[in-house]
Amino acid sequence: EDGYRLWMRYDTLADANAQAWRSSINTVVIPGDSPTMRAILAELVPALSGLLGKSIAASANNTLADGTLVVGTPSTSSAIASLQLRDALAKVGDEGFLIRSEKIDGRSVTVIAASTELGALYGAFHFLRLVQTQPASGNLNISEKPRFLFRLLNHWDNLDGSIERGYAGQSLWKWNELPGTIDPRLTDYARASASLGINGAVLNNVNADAKSLTPEYLRKAAAIADVFRPYGVRVYLVPRFSAPIEIDGLETADPLDPKVAAWWKAKTDEIYKLIPDFGGYLVKANSEGQPGPMTYGRTHADGANMLAAAVARYGGIVMWRAFIYDPVPGSDRAAEAYNTLKPFDGKFAPNVILQVKNGPVDFMPREPFHPIFGSMPHTQVMPEVQITQEYLGHSNSIAFLATMWREFLDSDTYAKGPGSTVTRVVDGRLYGQTLTAIAGVANTGDDRNWTGHHLAQANWFAYGRLAWNPDMSAREIADEWTEMTLTHDRKSVDEIVRLLLESREAVVNYEMPLGLAHLMDNPHYGPGPWGYPVARPDWSPVYYHRAANDGIGFDRTATGTNAVAQYHEPLRSRYADLSTCPDDMLLWFHHVPWTYKMRSGRTLWDELCLRYQRGVDWTGDARKRWDALAGIIDAERHTAVARKLVIQQRDAKWWRDAGLLYFQTFSKQPFPADVDQPTRTLDEVKALDDYGHPQKAKK
Ligand code: BDP
């Protein structure tokens, strides 16, 4: 029980519910000999045999009997063709599927039908999920289709095997062994992704190495694409903007120079020759030291459109990242991407999608939604969320992120009046954008359990489920994952789901409560509110919290940077007015006196202390509740999670002590009685190393 099997465990179900499934499925009929149809067979036969605890085999000569599960498309299966599903299949599109209880030639069968083999594969995985999480039914009538066309994982993997912000080991792509040796694990990665409907993987870091576009590395990428293809996971790459100079010695990478454009066309031809279903490019340009069109005096639109022309000939796309902020003195990082990109609304080619992080700063435990959502009606936009827990305790902490993504997707931009949620902006309903997409920065690595923390698997799962259906509730997702991965014991499932649902708010509380942000130390793990030497001011915590004797928080109203003006009314006024700004966003938008009276009746200082304490208390409580699950979950995973919770509790206290002791030097207020008094001094906390150990003094 090392967690390798993720949510695809297929151990025999023991409850009464399983008995009903057992009597309704006896054989499978999965005609077709393509790699995808073979993958479906290879998944369903062992999975159903395992789950149902009896041998399920493909029926000889594809004969239907009572209890046959038929999978395919009207072209691969004559039984499916006979059902005349044309209209229903047209409705679910290329990647959707139908699952129905049917009578064919007098036989009671279950049918998984789709227009394409990939749709059938997604249907097969959905069916397995039903068996594991739902009561059996002889009356199935399901139709599903994904809401986003492109559902991608972004891997920040370097060619040397390391992963930027990766906390689960080394890269799954063994670049040094490829293409000669193919790690069988690649197939399991593709299965896991396809089981959720993820249909693309960007293989390399957004801080790209030009080498990834050399013939040698393209052959390696092609070998990965070959493994992924049957599972519908298309490969994408991050091209370094200056690659024409670095790889072939061109004098410039100016996107308007015809020689440069020709270089990219030729490079793209070379890629498509090796990877015919190559998805396209993801680009980080003129951001944090990466080269881009502005390096050559051109605009973001010039750069994006030049690359877009190169891939358009093959139906490829360009995802252009909006993570752009320059260290302009006096500027507000949260306002910069909007200011830089909004003037280009309507100027991007039809196969360009602007990839925008959920919040305007950077994947903090809580941020308001990025104001670009709902503000560039003539530009296709897609959200980028971070699955890897760069700012939420790496792989040492439980922070179930579905609740955060729900909050983000449900945010009302008011762009076209009430109800203009982020979901409706990005799924094309609000402005009718035709290319819809979503990206998640992966939390996978070559650790045996894939994600470092067993419970962090739930975030990979949750991302995939929301990418398929952005309306799913966090509870539904947590419930599915827990049943598939940990236990079917109802009471325990409920308890684990509760823990998951509470976990992200707990991290917010003990790390950055009340709208504070970016308080972490350099490795983005522990607290560092006092700041440290940085290359630019907007990388230091003090830039964000602005704690002083008169109060704390970043004034983004008219008396400050006025970044709040980037939001539509009535949200703008709600955020801008201290009396209506939600507590959770308070210090994001306002600089507030320490003695300010909060809604709770407490002063800001007391409330801040209490939030920190609440976060810490949760970790202690979670430990007890998890310990009580011993014996329900196998000892191996139970113990591993219990150990992580010990670390999480220690870290929470570290964050609380750091925040309270440091901010107290400004507030000059005592700690309220219901808050544990720190047992160490600020200097002692500051002297801890990057991971909170007292060994050697760092600063
Ligand atoms: C920040 C990370 C940095 C990434 C950057 C990005 O700290 O490693 O390169 O975002 O998204 O969150 O480009």
Side-chain angles (χ1 to χ4, degrees), residues 47-71:
L48 289 172
S49 304
L51 288 167
L52 304 180
K54 66 179 192 180
S55 147
I56 302 281
S59 91
N61 307 321
N62 296 330
T63 326
L64 302 189
D66 284 335
T68 299
L69 174 67
V70 190
V71 190

Side-chain angles (χ1 to χ4, degrees), residues 156 164-165 207 284 288 321 323 357 362 390-391:
W156 288 356
E164 179 150 346
R165 313 307 177 187
N207 299 316
K284 172 175 179 176
E288 299 184 331
R321 293 181 88 229
F323 185 63
K357 289 187 182 183
D362 188 11
E390 175 177 358
Y391 301 108

Side-chain angles (χ1 to χ4, degrees), residues 2-73:
D2 52 18
Y4 184 84
R5 294 183 294 163
L6 295 161
W7 47 87
M8 305 179 295
R9 298 164 56 77
Y10 309 147
D11 291 340
T12 303
L13 299 166
D15 51 19
N17 190 21
Q19 190 50 47
W21 281 110
R22 193 168 295 132
S23 48
S24 67
I25 304 290
N26 298 317
T27 55
V28 295
V29 166
I30 309 175
D33 196 32
S34 69
T36 298
M37 292 315 295
R38 281 199 303 258
I40 297 174
L41 187 73
E43 194 71 32
L44 283 179
V45 166
L48 289 172
S49 304
L51 288 167
L52 304 180
K54 66 179 192 180
S55 147
I56 302 281
S59 91
N61 307 321
N62 296 330
T63 326
L64 302 189
D66 284 335
T68 299
L69 174 67
V70 190
V71 190
T73 72

Side-chain angles (χ1 to χ4, degrees), residues 426-440:
V426 295
D427 73 3
R429 278 181 293 168
L430 205 68
Y431 297 124
Q433 76 179 52
T434 46
L435 301 184
T436 56
I438 184 163

Side-chain angles (χ1 to χ4, degrees), residues 190-525:
R191 285 175 55 231
S193 285
S195 77
L196 307 167
I198 289 169
N199 66 1
V202 182
L203 296 183
N204 60 321
N205 192 353
V206 287
N207 299 316
D209 185 334
K211 211 160 73 181
S212 63
L213 294 183
T214 57
E216 184 193 355
Y217 275 84
L218 290 178
R219 275 194 299 275
K220 294 170 190 278
I224 297 176
D226 289 343
V227 179
F228 290 180
R229 190 164 295 115
Y231 293 92
V233 180
R234 291 167 75 179
V235 152
Y236 296 72
L237 290 171
V238 179
R240 188 167 161 88
F241 206 80
S242 52
I245 304 173
E246 286 159 63
I247 296 180
D248 281 322
L250 265 64
E251 273 164 24
T252 174
D254 177 352
L256 297 191
D257 183 320
K259 282 203 269 327
V260 171
W263 187 91
W264 281 107
K265 285 206 161 139
K267 183 50 76 183
T268 305
D269 291 340
E270 186 187 339
I271 297 176
Y272 276 95
K273 228 171 257 144
L274 288 163
I275 311 173
D277 55 351
F278 179 65
Y281 297 129
L282 166 68
V283 189
K284 172 175 179 176
N286 295 114
S287 164
E288 299 184 331
Q290 293 302 305
M294 290 167 80
T295 317
Y296 309 96
R298 308 299 181 187
T299 68
H300 282 281
D302 293 334
N305 294 343
M306 183 270 298
L307 289 173
V311 290
R313 301 166 301 147
Y314 298 97
I317 59 168
V318 169
M319 292 161 288
W320 194 262
R321 293 181 88 229
F323 185 63
I324 297 162
Y325 62 105
D326 283 322
V328 185
S331 70
D332 178 356
R333 173 168 168 187
E336 282 192 51
Y338 175 104
N339 288 338
T340 309
L341 291 166
K342 188 156 160 60
F344 296 100
D345 189 23
K347 302 274 181 346
F348 290 98
N351 59 330
V352 173
I353 316 178
L354 209 57
Q355 179 166 313
V356 186
K357 289 187 182 183
N358 57 281
V361 168
D362 188 11
F363 298 138
M364 290 298 122
R366 172 169 278 125
E367 294 189 32
F369 70 88
H370 200 303
I372 283 182
F373 296 108
S375 295
M376 294 181 65
H378 308 291
T379 302
Q380 312 191 89
V381 291
M382 62 184 280
E384 173 178 334
V385 297
Q386 195 179 44
I387 311 169
T388 189
Q389 291 168 227
E390 175 177 358
Y391 301 108
L392 292 103
H394 297 184
S395 54
N396 280 337
S397 297
I398 307 176
F400 180 56
L401 299 173
T403 45
M404 169 151 95
W405 301 330
R406 225 357 336 116
E407 182 177 303
F408 158 64
L409 291 165
D410 290 340
S411 297
D412 199 339
T413 68
Y414 292 96
K416 282 191 172 183
S420 307
T421 59
V422 170
T423 304
R424 298 188 65 231
V425 172
V426 295
D427 73 3
R429 278 181 293 168
L430 205 68
Y431 297 124
Q433 76 179 52
T434 46
L435 301 184
T436 56
I438 184 163
V441 181
N443 63 347
T444 48
D446 71 356
D447 274 5
R448 189 64 195 161
N449 70 5
W450 301 88
T451 56
H453 195 307
H454 286 287
L455 301 192
Q457 295 179 353
N459 287 330
W460 182 5
F461 183 89
Y463 167 72
R465 296 295 284 137
L466 285 172
W468 182 274
N469 175 6
D471 292 335
M472 275 187 89
S473 75
R475 177 178 298 277
E476 261 177 289
I477 296 170
D479 207 284
E480 276 185 355
W481 178 81
T482 306
E483 284 232 29
M484 295 172 79
T485 314
L486 292 176
T487 174
H488 292 285
D489 175 62
R490 194 63 244 170
K491 247 182 74 204
S492 309
V493 171
D494 288 342
E495 176 69 336
I496 296 165
V497 167
R498 266 194 300 274
L499 281 168
L500 290 172
L501 294 178
E502 294 159 4
S503 59
R504 176 262 186 159
E505 197 64 40
V507 178
V508 170
N509 278 331
Y510 66 70
E511 283 195 1
M512 307 180 199
L514 299 176
L516 288 171
H518 215 287
L519 300 188
M520 67 290 164
D521 199 1
N522 221 358
H524 297 185
Y525 184 77

